């Protein structure tokens, strides 16, 4: 599907917009099939809403929990109030690579609907500055997480939604700029490389719900 | 003790500075008495370090835990990486009240060691803008926390370090500007007033360790 087709496709399926403030439509969307073959599947859009839905519909202990008990609030806070400050630093480093990966129609759509300058390569000096800023930011996060030891997830022993949000960030960086991801993986004695491997392992080992 | 005396007093007790980067000395400091009357007490400075020390020395389940298992990292992250953005918005609203509460010598010390303009009253228009900014910020946090229901703490059912950090912020606002705290208490259908009462109740009900 082309990026420019997401809105019309989701409207066709009867899926609402992902934001209350702006009428924009986003992927991922899940289609949870009904047990009644005559009833159409339940569609849920927006990753946090999908996670809440899955935890409700496929509850622990039979299925793994995405949110440890009582942590939906703090995770929503981290994802919506804190993570944007990290993304603002990181994405200018990889956005300019996007035209190499995306088809022309989707790229034209993005240039029309976003500030076109975010896809221009950064001047060398600014790129170095951004990279240092990113490294300092990650050093601060790593130092905090060290309080739970080397092999923890963001919320402690158990992986949860916030790890998948970090995973999404690392996936984007790795896809668009694998050299940048190699650097990040080495920062703080390899803490982020180790973390990213453990988050990927969850996806690799996840089984489908039957 | 005057603010200007904190550094010399802590040096006299052999307590180190609270920051690795800057040699500044802060209160609170705890003095945990030794069981041997000939050995001097253990001094610990800086609230996060004090909380870690107390959880180690007086462990759960006999004593209440300040950090639920595996949440030291995420709480350090929230306090050090996220909370400053909240404090930056809130404290300009109450800092100008400080000269009404502090003795002249401490005030002179603060004017010498801080930017003196932070103690000047804000122009009316800027104050209104800051207040709106604060309200929007708190609305965002409240909306996140609503995912855990009305009577939760920041990390869910159990109060923990991050609540005491919010408590410190509310205590400062209430002390310096009770009218401002009355406004905050009403925001989001009274969510913050209710929260602040529940945090104060913990302090009121806490018993001394014997």
């Amino acid at each position: 599907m082309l990026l420019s087709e997401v809105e019309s496709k989701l409207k066709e399926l009867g899926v609402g917009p992902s934001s209350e403030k702006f009428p924009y439509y986003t992927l991922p969307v899940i289609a949870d099939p009904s047990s009644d073959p005559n009833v159409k599947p339940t569609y849920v859009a927006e990753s946090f809403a999908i996670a809440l839905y899955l935890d409700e519909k496929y509850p622990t202990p039979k299925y793994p929990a995405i949110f440890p008990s009582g942590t939906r609030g703090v995770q929503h806070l981290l994802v919506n109030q804190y993570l944007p400050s990290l993304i603002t630093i990181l994405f200018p480093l990889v956005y300019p690579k996007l035209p190499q990966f995306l088809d022309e129609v989707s790229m034209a759509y993005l240039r029309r609907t976003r500030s076109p300058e975010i896809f221009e390569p950064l001047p060398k000096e600014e790129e170095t500055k951004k990279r240092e800023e990113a490294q300092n930011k990650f050093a601060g996060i790593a130092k905090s997480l060290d309080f739970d030891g080397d092999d923890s997830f963001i919320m402690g022993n158990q992986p949860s939604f916030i790890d998948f949000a970090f995973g999404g960030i690392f996936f984007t960086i790795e896809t668009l700029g694998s050299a940048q991801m190699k650097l990040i993986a080495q920062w703080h004695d390899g803490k982020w490389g180790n973390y990213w491997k453990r988050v990927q392992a969850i996806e690799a080992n996840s089984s489908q719900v039957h």
Side-chain angles (χ1 to χ4, degrees), chain A:
Chain A
M1 195 184 343
L2 298 171
L3 267 178
S4 49
E5 298 168 338
V6 172
E7 179 167 343
S8 55
K9 182 67 184 171
L10 296 198
K11 280 180 173 168
E12 186 192 314
L13 294 172
V15 179
S18 296
S19 158
E20 290 165 19
K21 282 189 201 150
F22 308 104
Y24 63 67
Y25 292 77
T26 60
L27 297 181
V29 165
I30 59 163
D32 191 26
S34 170
S35 52
D36 179 346
N38 297 317
V39 171
K40 66 173 199 167
T42 304
Y43 294 103
V44 186
E46 201 275 311
S47 57
F48 197 86
I50 292 172
L52 292 178
Y53 175 86
L54 292 175
D55 262 2
E56 289 284 327
K57 184 81 188 285
Y58 303 98
T60 183
K62 186 169 177 196
Y63 302 101
I66 306 175
F67 299 100
S69 171
T71 69
R72 298 188 295 181
V74 72
Q75 298 211 40
H76 192 269
L77 185 71
L78 283 166
V79 170
N80 291 281
Q81 300 266 334
Y82 173 66
L83 231 49
S85 70
L86 191 63
I87 290 171
T88 305
I89 298 171
L90 284 168
F91 280 15
L93 288 165
V94 292
Y95 264 145
K97 307 267 171 64
L98 208 55
Q100 299 169 30
F101 293 88
L102 225 52
D103 64 279
E104 266 180 49
V105 179
S106 294
M107 227 18 248
Y109 170 77
L110 279 183
R111 286 188 206 278
R112 214 167 56 236
T113 54
R114 307 288 191 282
S115 307
E117 63 271 18
I118 64 174
F119 305 110
E120 300 299 322
L122 294 175
K124 204 76 205 155
E125 201 179 313
E126 209 179 317
E127 194 183 324
T128 307
K129 225 182 93 190
K130 281 268 171 221
R131 187 165 290 139
E132 281 171 9
E133 206 186 331
Q135 185 161 6
N136 286 337
K137 190 83 178 172
F138 270 98
I141 306 174
K143 220 180 128 182
S144 286
L145 298 183
D146 280 350
F147 282 101
D148 288 327
D150 283 344
D151 288 326
S152 286
F153 293 98
I154 308 285
M155 299 286 300
N157 310 326
Q158 198 179 333
S160 62
F161 188 80
I162 179 73
D163 298 299
F164 308 145
F166 269 86
I169 293 173
F170 287 153
F171 177 81
T172 305
I173 295 171
E174 188 154 273
T175 306
L176 297 179
S178 59
Q180 180 62 54
M181 193 59 223
K182 282 206 179 76
L183 282 177
I184 295 176
Q186 288 160 17
W187 290 344
H188 207 80
D189 293 332
K191 187 174 181 91
W192 296 110
N194 172 323
Y195 172 79
W196 177 218
K197 260 189 215 146
R198 286 182 291 117
V199 172
Q200 285 174 295
I202 296 164
E203 197 195 346
N205 294 328
S206 77
S207 53
Q208 285 194 295
V209 168
H210 294 290

